[in-house]
Amino acid sequence: MGSLNSHDMSSVNWDWILPASEFTQLCIVVDQSIPTPAARALAKRFSGVPQVSLLRIPEPAHLHREWSKYSEHQTSAVATVTGDAAKSMRPLSRAVKLLLWSSAPEELDWLGGIYGQPVLHTRYRIDTDEASAIQFGIERVFAVLREVVKCNVATGY
C-alpha cells in the first residue's frame, strides 16, 4: 500500500496510495477534505483490486495553478504536456475514469483535462459521521467500478 501509513500527507503533492497499472479502469482521486482514516479504508478495501488505483492530492488548488502555468505556455504546434501533473497522471490511460471524491469535487475537475480522462464526482459529506462516509465511499466506488467494467466489456476495451 502507498504512503498513507508512512508520513504526513501535507508534505506530498501527488501520492499514489494504490498505484496505477495497465489494468486500472477507475482511479479514485481524494484531496485534503477526505480524512486520512477514510483514505486508508479505501486503500485497504481496494488494495487487491487491480482495476482500481487511488491518488491523494493534498493541495489541488496549488497544483492546478502550477499545471495551468505550464499549459499556458503550450501552443497548438507544441502539444506536449509538461510539469508534475503530467508526470504524475502519465500512468493512467485516457480510458481510465477519474472518480473525484471530495467535499468540493468540482475543484478537482481540471485533472481530467491533463490527458482527457472522463471525470465522475462523489461529494464527501462533512455533516455525516466518518464510518457512514467511509461506507458510502466504498459502495460508490463499487457501483462506479461495476458500470465502468460493464461499459468496457460492451465496447471491447
Side-chain angles (χ1 to χ4, degrees):
M1 198 164 10
S3 60
L4 269 178
N5 297 322
S6 61
H7 64 277
D8 176 38
M9 293 306 306
S10 62
S11 64
V12 178
N13 289 329
W14 301 86
D15 186 25
W16 283 101
I17 298 165
L18 296 176
S21 74
E22 63 188 277
F23 304 109
T24 301
Q25 295 182 37
L26 179 66
C27 178
I28 308 162
V29 181
V30 298
D31 63 9
Q32 74 281 5
S33 71
I34 304 301
T36 299
R40 276 195 187 118
L42 281 177
K44 182 178 179 184
R45 181 61 188 94
F46 294 101
S47 66
V49 181
Q51 294 84 1
V52 176
S53 63
L54 176 59
L55 175 61
R56 183 160 180 155
I57 303 175
E59 297 182 27
H62 167 75
L63 295 172
H64 184 211
R65 282 190 302 275
E66 181 181 286
W67 177 69
S68 295
K69 180 179 72 174
Y70 282 110
S71 298
E72 285 175 6
H73 299 294
Q74 293 181 14
T75 64
S76 57
V78 182
T80 59
V81 181
T82 58
D84 288 342
K87 291 175 192 167
S88 295
M89 296 296 286
R90 191 170 290 140
L92 298 174
S93 79
R94 287 183 181 206
V96 171
K97 305 263 188 309
L98 304 178
L99 179 59
L100 311 176
W101 191 32
S102 167
S103 62
E106 60 279 357
E107 293 178 6
L108 296 168
D109 274 345
W110 63 275
L111 290 168
I114 296 173
Y115 287 116
Q117 286 101 349
V119 296
L120 307 163
H121 295 164
T122 293
R123 188 165 305 279
Y124 182 81
R125 296 196 43 187
I126 56 175
D127 60 343
T128 61
D129 66 281
E130 195 169 282
S132 296
I134 290 169
Q135 186 60 36
F136 171 79
I138 290 171
E139 289 171 6
R140 176 76 168 134
V141 170
F142 271 122
V144 171
L145 182 59
R146 277 192 297 277
E147 289 304 311
V148 167
V149 170
K150 190 180 351 177
C151 179
N152 288 343
V153 168
T155 60
Y157 169 69

